Amino acid sequence: MSRIGKKPVVVPAGVTVQVADGKVSVKGKHGELSMAWHPKMSVTFDAAAKELHVERPDDVRESRALHGLTRALINNMVQGVATPWEKKLEIVGVGYQASLSGKTLTLQVGFANAIKLPVPAGVTVEVPDNTHINLKGADRQAVGQFAAEIRHVRPPEPYKGKGIKYSTERVRRKAGKAFGS
């Protein structure tokens, strides 16, 4: 049996959960999220124990995979509305900078034109200084996807380390041509 799927999702205080018609809705102080789960799975909410349980009908490979996936997605929703998910990015390079104007993030990262990215709904962007970007939101997928899109504009390169990287990311540096001769 799936080790992740059989664990109950504990609902913290201040979070309300509704399960009805193949859909789970979670509401907390940082937002409201809902998700429709796969029809093969069954999700039940135990109000007395404040726990969500995900169960599967059989031990077919697809059902086992969906069991853990459904539980993980619901757990991410519950955690996200209680405490928002957060990603931090750093910009490394001379003249490389970021700025926020309204709902548009502008990146100057060595191209002839500034790159303008619209901030998706449900994601909060902070630019404390022009080389750091902080993303927060209740939806883990939306925060991670927008962080990946920002990083994709100019990924860090291994020779000088210039580019946009996650704050926890280590860029493995390479020696250039001058080192070899």
Side-chain angles (χ1 to χ4, degrees), residues 104-115:
T104 304
L105 179 68
T106 306
L107 301 170
Q108 298 268 347
V109 286
F111 298 120
N113 299 327
I115 307 298

Side-chain angles (χ1 to χ4, degrees), residues 161-173:
K162 293 167 43 172
I164 303 171
K165 67 181 189 82
Y166 297 112
S167 62
T168 57
E169 183 178 4
R170 304 274 301 160
V171 178
R172 190 156 171 233
R173 302 290 296 272

Side-chain angles (χ1 to χ4, degrees), residues 38-85:
H38 195 276
K40 285 187 177 181
M41 298 295 112
S42 65
V43 177
T44 56
F45 178 59
D46 183 8
K50 296 219 31 144
E51 291 180 340
L52 281 158
H53 296 276
V54 179
E55 294 171 7
R56 64 177 184 229
D58 50 30
D59 280 340
V60 178
R61 183 182 180 109
E62 181 187 23
S63 296
R64 290 193 317 251
L66 288 170
H67 189 209
L69 172 72
T70 305
R71 190 261 178 205
L73 292 174
I74 292 171
N75 188 47
N76 289 343
M77 287 170 38
V78 169
Q79 287 182 6
V81 296
T83 56
W85 296 101

Side-chain angles (χ1 to χ4, degrees), residues 78-159:
V78 169
Q79 287 182 6
V81 296
T83 56
W85 296 101
E86 188 172 353
K87 290 275 187 183
K88 295 183 178 186
L89 295 121
E90 293 178 9
I91 301 173
V92 180
V94 177
Y96 287 15
Q97 58 187 358
S99 63
L100 183 66
S101 58
K103 283 289 201 178
T104 304
L105 179 68
T106 306
L107 301 170
Q108 298 268 347
V109 286
F111 298 120
N113 299 327
I115 307 298
K116 296 180 188 278
L117 298 172
V119 177
V123 177
T124 307
V125 178
E126 297 173 355
V127 182
D129 57 57
N130 56 5
T131 59
H132 291 86
I133 303 169
N134 297 337
L135 307 175
K136 287 184 183 178
D139 188 358
R140 186 176 192 178
Q141 193 275 331
V143 172
Q145 181 65 39
F146 190 54
E149 288 172 7
I150 293 171
R151 185 183 179 277
H152 183 72
V153 169
R154 178 71 88 171
E157 54 97 14
Y159 296 103

